[in-house]
Amino acid sequence: MKKRIAILGSTGSIGKQALEVIEQNPDRFEVEVLTANNNVDLLIAQAKKFQPNVVVIANPEKYEYVSGALKNEDVKVFAGADALNQVVQMDTIDMVLTAMVGYSGLLPTYNAIKAKKNIALANKETLVVAGEIITRAALENQVEILPVDSEHSAIFQCLAGEFRNPVEKILLTCSGGPFRGKTIKELQNVTVDNALNHPNWEMGAKITIDSATLMNKGFEMIEARWLFGVPSSKIEVVIHPQSIIHSLVQFEDGSIKAQLGLPDMKLPIQYALGFPERLKNNFPRFSFANYPTLTFEQPEPKIFRNLALAFEAISKGGNMPCVLNAANEIVVDAFLNQKVAFLQMPEIIEKAMEKANWIEKPGLDDLIQTNSETRNITKLLIENNK
Ligand code: MG
C-alpha cells in the first residue's frame, strides 16, 4: 500500500523537496493533495506532474486561473482557507505534511489531527502558538506528529528505543546564522540581503530571517518542549556552525546521543514520510575528510534578544508564545519591506509582549483572538516607531 500524502505548502522550500523525495520513491508514496498560497504557476506544474486528487489554492482570487489551467486534468480544484481545513480531513489521506509558513498552519493542522491524520510537521509555528492544544489533540486522536525540522528529527531519532529513560537535557544545535559572532554595533546597519544570506541552509525568506535573528531557534526550543515533553529549563541551545550535528540528547547517566548528517532537508523529510523505515537513497554522504573540525559555541542572547524572548514567552506560558509568534510575523514582514531595522525587531516584539493581554489557559478561540490582536498592536508599534 502506498502512503497517500497531502502536502500543505507544496510550492515552498520544504514542499518542493518533499515532492523530490516522493518522486524518488514512487512505489512508497502517492500525492493526494497539493496546496499553495499564491504561487499558481508552480502549483499547476506540480499538479500536472504528480496528478493529485485535489489541489487547493488558498488565495480565492486565483481560483479561476488554476481551475482553468487544470481543466483537462483529473484533478479537483478548490480555493480558500475553509477548503484547506476541509481537504485535510479527506478519507484518502494517510499523512499530512504541514509545510506552510507561520500561523496559517495552525487550523489546518488542528483539523487534520481531529480527522486522525498522522502529521509530518514542518510548520513549527503551529506548536509555538498552540503547543499544548495540538499535542493534547494528537494524544486524544492517537495521531503521530513526526518532526520534519532537522533538529527535532535528530532528537526524535536519538530518543528511538529510549522511551523508559528520562531525558536530562536536550542540546539543540544552531548554525548561528549569517551574523554569528557579530556585535550589536555591527548589527545596526545590516541589510535584508545580508540577513537573507544563510551560510548553510537554503530556505524561504521568513525562516531565513528568523534564523538570522535566532527567533527560529527560540521557536525550535518551544517546538521541542511540546514534541518531547521536556521543560524549557532542560533545553540548551548550542551554536554549531557546520550544521553537521543536528541536535543531541543527554540521558540521566550523562551519556549523549547525537544524529549527524549533511545539512540537507530531504533527509528529515524522508525520515518523517517513511517512518519507521529508513529508505535507501543516493543523497551525498558525510565525510570527515571534508569536515575535519566540528566546533561549538555558546549563543549570545544579549545580542540576539529573540532567543531570550522565546525563553521568557514559554516560561510565562499561556498565550504568550502566541503573542511572540504574531509579533514576530509582523516585524519580519516589516523588516523584509525595509520598514524596521534588524535590531528593532526584538525591541518591537518585546513591547508587543508587554502590551498583550495575558491569558493563562487559552482555548483555540482565545489564541485566534490573541493572534489578530497582537498583529494589530505590533503594526501600531511599527507605525509609531517611525
Ligand atoms: Mg530547524
Side-chain angles (χ1 to χ4, degrees):
M1 272 290 281
K2 289 187 197 179
K3 210 181 265 182
R4 295 161 299 181
I5 316 276
I7 304 181
L8 310 186
S10 65
T11 58
S13 171
I14 296 289
K16 286 189 278 190
Q17 294 180 79
L19 286 172
E20 282 179 49
V21 168
I22 290 171
E23 194 178 6
Q24 284 157 13
N25 294 279
D27 50 331
R28 297 268 183 172
F29 306 119
E30 199 168 3
V31 180
E32 186 65 12
V33 175
L34 293 174
T35 83
N37 253 341
N38 281 304
N39 192 346
V40 282
D41 291 319
L42 182 55
L43 180 66
I44 290 161
Q46 289 175 339
K48 285 183 175 169
K49 181 167 175 184
F50 289 92
Q51 294 289 314
N53 187 354
V54 170
V55 306
V56 180
I57 179 76
N59 181 349
E61 286 170 18
K62 306 208 164 163
Y63 172 77
E64 300 292 337
Y65 185 86
V66 177
S67 63
L70 295 175
K71 68 176 186 298
N72 295 325
E73 309 288 331
D74 187 17
V75 177
K76 297 181 203 73
V77 180
F78 300 108
D82 286 343
L84 207 55
N85 285 319
Q86 280 162 22
V87 295
V88 294
Q89 306 178 42
M90 282 167 31
D91 286 343
T92 48
I93 295 170
D94 297 311
M95 177 177 256
V96 176
L97 170 63
T98 66
M100 62 277 268
V101 178
Y103 173 85
S104 65
L106 175 63
L107 291 179
T109 307
Y110 182 74
N111 284 304
I113 291 171
K114 285 283 192 187
K116 301 191 187 300
K117 306 301 177 191
N118 286 330
I119 305 291
L121 185 98
N123 175 261
K124 68 192 83 187
E125 290 88 342
T126 291
L127 288 182
V128 173
V129 171
E132 190 164 9
I133 291 172
I134 291 290
T135 47
R136 197 191 316 129
L139 202 65
E140 284 168 3
N141 290 284
Q142 295 178 304
V143 159
E144 280 189 296
I145 301 181
L146 296 155
V148 170
D149 216 341
S150 59
E151 295 79 0
H152 304 74
S153 177
I155 296 162
F156 185 72
Q157 292 178 57
C158 291
L159 289 172
E162 300 279 1
F163 63 100
R164 284 198 186 85
N165 295 322
V167 169
E168 190 169 84
K169 189 156 75 173
I170 285 176
L171 295 152
L172 189 66
T173 54
C174 171
S175 71
F179 303 139
R180 180 176 61 88
K182 292 259 187 288
T183 61
I184 294 267
K185 201 171 177 332
E186 289 169 320
L187 290 175
Q188 254 153 13
N189 296 313
V190 296
T191 64
V192 172
D193 284 345
N194 298 149
L196 285 175
N197 190 14
H198 195 280
N200 301 348
W201 298 97
E202 281 272 333
M203 305 175 288
K206 199 259 175 185
I207 186 173
T208 305
I209 300 303
D210 286 344
S211 298
T213 65
L214 297 204
M215 185 58 94
N216 184 55
K217 209 49 57 177
F219 284 173
E220 289 183 352
M221 176 274 294
I222 298 174
E223 183 185 10
R225 185 261 168 271
W226 293 115
L227 276 176
F228 308 114
V230 172
S232 58
S233 56
K234 292 186 174 182
I235 304 174
E236 186 179 323
V237 174
V238 181
I239 306 284
H240 167 48
Q242 297 80 24
S243 296
I244 294 298
I245 299 180
H246 297 309
S247 276
L248 315 89
V249 176
Q250 181 174 316
F251 295 93
E252 288 187 318
D253 59 353
S255 184
I256 296 175
K257 283 166 83 173
Q259 186 262 345
L260 289 76
L262 292 172
D264 178 352
M265 283 308 295
K266 287 208 289 294
L267 187 52
I269 291 168
Q270 180 184 290
Y271 188 75
L273 296 186
F275 181 80
E277 282 179 78
R278 290 187 182 274
L279 309 181
K280 195 175 164 68
N281 62 37
N282 57 8
F283 303 162
R285 264 41 174 173
F286 171 76
S287 153
F288 278 107
N290 297 334
Y291 291 89
T293 313
L294 299 179
T295 62
F296 306 91
E297 302 163 18
Q298 287 196 314
E300 300 275 6
K302 289 210 173 79
I303 297 175
F304 296 92
R305 287 277 304 139
N306 279 348
L307 193 55
L309 292 174
F311 274 95
E312 274 174 40
I314 191 72
S315 29
K316 181 86 183 167
N319 64 341
M320 200 49 81
C322 174
V323 171
L324 176 83
N325 178 70
N328 184 62
E329 287 191 21
I330 297 297
V331 295
V332 168
D333 187 62
F335 175 71
L336 285 168
N337 290 297
Q338 303 183 21
K339 288 183 184 148
V340 301
F342 187 79
L343 289 174
Q344 286 175 319
M345 287 192 274
E347 285 172 19
I348 295 166
I349 295 168
E350 189 163 19
K351 283 188 190 142
M353 287 168 69
E354 282 162 15
K355 280 184 185 288
N357 235 334
W358 186 60
I359 305 171
E360 189 177 2
K361 291 200 182 308
L364 199 56
D365 290 341
D366 297 320
L367 294 174
I368 292 167
Q369 198 180 345
T370 297
N371 174 64
S372 78
E373 280 175 10
T374 306
R375 284 166 183 269
N376 291 334
I377 291 172
T378 312
K379 282 177 191 163
L380 274 175
L381 286 166
I382 291 170
E383 279 301 308
N384 297 339
N385 198 34
K386 280 179 193 157

